[in-house]
């Protein structure tokens, strides 16, 4: 009997070192030792499972919330995805006509960074900001300058920290109403009016699929630069072979085209970024639910072990008390 | 309707092509019949908050909640 009791006691002691190094039990005291936090009355030795139970309840709530957020993001994604795919047809003729020249060497660069207003969407905003800063570095040098136009709160928070002097405009609260072309074109108009530019580089996350968002840069050149590049040949050199109808000159047409191109490219960029934001939020919330589920499993194991250990301890006390009475 | 002047009238008035095409679109949307008209006009809502920064300091942000209707241009054109 004594050997059995000693074995059981050893079992009880074995639980303590097994449980305390576990990362999830950030509970400073292991559940086996009744501490001041447990508030047990003097003379009673029981093991409280309250701490573990509270933690399990909160983790379960978090899991429910993240699952719901994933559903919401999925439905919003469905709504906006058709819009984004339809808007791709707006800028493709421009690229066919004018080409996309990211390597154009210009004096005044303006980087338009598109990001989201709300958080919990994974790493897409950080990648956009990283690319914007990279573009800034790439295009800085003698006689060249780069300015930022920021759309969205998340990029604003990151860029305000170290690039304050280079910011021209900050635009937020873009997604209050569902995105439409009129809104983005008014926005593009504001940018064109307030910012001097030779080349506009728009940084956004292109939506390839629900799991893949590729950061892309679209370049829109000002009409003067288009003329300059046309002289050096290439795609733009063929512009003269087009006939111009109506009473407008080539310079005027180029200006109209440049403005409209900027507006179309912005529209597509904003929509694609919104899709990427919802997709990223879906996958972030999904992994968060899964992590919460794992955490819940581990906590359940701890809870059961604690419960069994407390039952074992009570049994030991009863048996040893009874055997002490017997003699 | 294309003028033979050196610049079209709207360019001379200081408008960009974007503003010009938005006003034209608004006029076309107003020509629709109900219920398509309300659907189309709901696609015209504009709201954002823009703040200009100079020398690393923000100026007071201004809201742009403008409908093109507020420019009263459709009435002007109807009276031509």
């Amino acid at each position: 009997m004594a050997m059995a009791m000693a074995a059981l006691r050893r079992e009880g002691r074995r639980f303590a070192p097994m449980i305390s190094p576990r990362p999830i039990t950030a509970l400073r005291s292991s559940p086996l030792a009744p501490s001041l936090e447990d508030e047990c009355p003097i003379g009673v030795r029981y093991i409280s499972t309250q701490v573990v139970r509270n933690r399990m309840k909160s983790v379960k709530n978090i899991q429910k919330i993240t699952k719901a957020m994933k559903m919401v993001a999925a439905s919003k994604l469905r709504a906006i995805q058709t819009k984004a795919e339809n808007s791709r047809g707006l800028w493709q003729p421009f690229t066919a006509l004018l080409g996309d020249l990211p390597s154009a060497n210009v004096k005044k660069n303006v980087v338009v960074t598109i990001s989201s207003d709300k958080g919990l969407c994974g790493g897409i905003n950080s990648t956009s900001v990283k690319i914007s800063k990279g573009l800034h570095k790439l295009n800085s040098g003698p006689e060249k300058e780069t300015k930022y136009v920021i759309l969205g709160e998340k990029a604003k928070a990151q860029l305000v920290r170290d690039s304050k002097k280079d910011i021209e405009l900050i635009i937020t609260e873009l997604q209050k109403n569902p995105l439409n072309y009129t809104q983005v074109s008014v926005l593009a108009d504001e940018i064109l009016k307030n910012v001097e530019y030779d080349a506009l580089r728009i940084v956004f996350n292109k939506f390839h699929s629900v799991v893949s968002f590729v950061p892309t840069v679209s370049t829109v050149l000002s009409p003067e630069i288009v003329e300059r590049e046309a002289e050096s040949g290439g795609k733009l050199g063929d512009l003269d072979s087009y006939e111009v109808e109506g009473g407008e000159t080539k310079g005027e047409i180029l200006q109209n085209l440049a403005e409209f191109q900027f507006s179309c490219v912005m529209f597509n960029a904003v929509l694609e970024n919104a899709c990427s934001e919802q997709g990223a939020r879906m996958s972030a919330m999904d992994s968060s639910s899964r992590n919460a589920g794992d955490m819940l499993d581990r906590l359940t194991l701890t809870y059961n072990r604690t419960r069994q250990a407390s039952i074992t301890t009570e049994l030991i006390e009863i048996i040893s008390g009874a055997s002490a009475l017997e003699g | 309707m294309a003028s033979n002047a050196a610049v079209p009238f709207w360019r001379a008035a200081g408008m960009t092509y974007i503003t010009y095409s938005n006003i034209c679109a608004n006029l076309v949307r107003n020509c629709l019949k109900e219920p398509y008209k309300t659907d189309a006009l709901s696609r015209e809502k504009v709201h954002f908050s823009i703040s200009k920064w100079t020398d690393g300091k923000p100026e007071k942000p201004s809201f742009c909640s403008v409908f093109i209707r507020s420019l009263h241009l459709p009435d002007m054109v109807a009276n031509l």
Side-chain angles (χ1 to χ4, degrees):
Chain A
M1 191 68 200
M3 293 221 334
M5 280 183 345
L8 281 171
R9 223 173 290 135
R10 252 181 282 128
E11 291 281 314
R13 244 179 289 141
R14 220 194 299 155
F15 286 128
M18 264 173 61
I19 292 176
S20 35
R22 277 193 177 256
I24 39 148
T25 46
L27 324 170
R28 225 94 4 91
S29 61
S30 98
L32 288 182
S35 63
L36 292 164
E37 304 168 18
D38 289 347
E39 289 181 337
C40 38
I42 307 172
V44 178
R45 284 194 334 175
Y46 68 94
I47 297 162
S48 166
T49 55
Q50 189 61 36
V51 186
V52 182
R53 245 184 298 153
N54 284 342
R55 213 176 147 98
M56 275 170 64
K57 198 163 61 153
S58 65
V59 170
K60 209 186 294 187
N61 285 338
I62 289 180
Q63 189 183 31
K64 280 192 205 154
I65 291 174
T66 50
K67 268 204 187 130
M69 283 186 75
K70 179 185 167 193
M71 300 276 133
V72 167
S75 69
K76 284 194 180 165
L77 176 68
R78 238 177 293 135
I80 213 171
Q81 194 172 346
T82 36
K83 270 194 189 172
E85 282 172 12
N86 291 339
S87 78
R88 285 187 190 152
L90 269 181
W91 57 262
Q92 276 157 358
F94 279 109
T95 319
L97 174 69
L98 296 171
D100 191 32
L101 292 168
S103 55
N105 202 345
V106 292
K107 287 214 193 68
K108 292 212 185 105
N109 285 293
V110 175
V111 174
V112 182
T113 315
I114 304 191
S115 70
S116 60
D117 277 343
K118 303 208 180 112
L120 290 180
C121 47
I124 52 170
N125 294 321
S126 311
T127 45
S128 289
V129 170
K130 208 167 38 163
I131 298 223
S132 312
K133 288 192 185 163
L135 276 179
H136 180 96
K137 245 189 180 168
L138 201 67
N139 283 316
S140 55
E143 285 192 12
K144 290 205 273 187
E145 56 160 14
T146 317
K147 294 263 170 194
Y148 289 111
V149 170
I150 303 177
L151 267 79
E153 291 276 346
K154 294 291 153 188
K156 166 182 166 188
Q158 293 188 28
L159 282 173
V160 154
R161 242 182 283 147
D162 48 5
S163 311
K164 257 186 164 175
K165 305 183 269 69
D166 292 323
I167 300 180
E168 278 281 344
L169 285 176
I170 293 192
I171 297 149
T172 51
E173 288 187 36
L174 203 56
Q175 293 219 26
K176 198 162 178 202
N177 303 322
L179 288 171
N180 52 42
Y181 178 74
T182 317
Q183 169 158 9
V184 180
S185 64
V186 173
L187 189 65
D189 198 29
E190 290 283 322
I191 297 179
L192 286 176
K193 280 195 192 135
N194 282 323
V195 175
E196 287 181 21
Y197 69 99
D198 284 334
L200 286 153
R201 299 179 198 272
I202 306 172
V203 179
F204 63 102
N205 292 84
K206 200 173 166 89
F207 181 79
H208 282 282
S209 79
V210 182
V211 293
S212 109
F213 333 104
V214 181
T216 32
V217 181
S218 291
T219 317
V220 173
L221 303 170
S222 77
E224 297 90 24
I225 303 294
V226 171
E227 297 265 12
R228 193 189 78 184
E229 296 287 332
E231 282 157 31
S232 52
K235 205 166 200 178
L236 289 174
D238 293 331
L239 275 182
D240 279 329
S241 55
Y242 286 95
E243 266 189 37
V244 174
E245 279 187 32
E248 299 177 334
T249 62
K250 179 177 166 204
E252 264 173 35
I253 294 213
L254 271 183
Q255 187 162 21
N256 293 346
L257 276 181
E259 290 171 1
F260 193 46
Q261 181 189 14
F262 179 50
S263 173
C264 294
V265 172
M266 275 290 284
F267 182 53
N268 183 62
V270 170
L271 279 178
E272 301 255 357
N273 203 55
C275 281
S276 310
E277 175 200 338
Q278 301 296 344
R281 188 166 297 135
M282 258 179 75
S283 62
M285 292 295 108
D286 182 47
S287 64
S288 162
S289 317
R290 214 174 311 126
N291 286 342
D294 288 344
M295 202 183 269
L296 205 57
D297 287 341
R298 271 180 286 154
L299 281 174
T300 312
L301 285 176
T302 317
Y303 174 69
N304 284 333
R305 245 194 299 255
T306 323
R307 197 175 45 88
Q308 287 166 354
S310 79
I311 292 173
T312 313
T313 322
E314 278 189 51
L315 277 174
I316 292 176
E317 289 173 9
I318 293 171
I319 294 172
S320 54
S323 73
L325 282 178
E326 281 172 27
Chain B
M1 277 282 286
S3 60
N4 289 330
V7 265
F9 54 93
W10 44 270
R11 183 69 73 177
M15 269 205 266
T16 54
Y17 181 74
I18 300 176
T19 329
Y20 172 57
S21 74
N22 274 340
I23 295 175
C24 297
N26 177 268
L27 291 174
V28 171
R29 284 193 193 110
N30 277 322
C31 298
L32 294 169
K33 284 202 262 190
E34 298 290 343
Y36 303 105
K37 187 170 180 180
T38 33
D39 287 341
L41 287 180
S42 75
R43 271 184 270 132
E44 233 184 19
K45 294 203 172 85
V46 172
H47 177 93
F48 55 87
S49 150
I50 186 166
S51 131
K52 202 161 156 45
W53 278 52
T54 41
D55 284 337
K57 295 233 167 42
E59 298 170 11
K60 197 157 180 301
S62 58
F63 283 92
C64 183
S65 250
V66 96
F67 290 49
I68 296 197
R69 281 171 168 266
S70 66
L71 291 176
H72 294 299
L73 278 169
D75 306 326
M76 279 167 45
V77 172
N79 289 337
L80 277 176

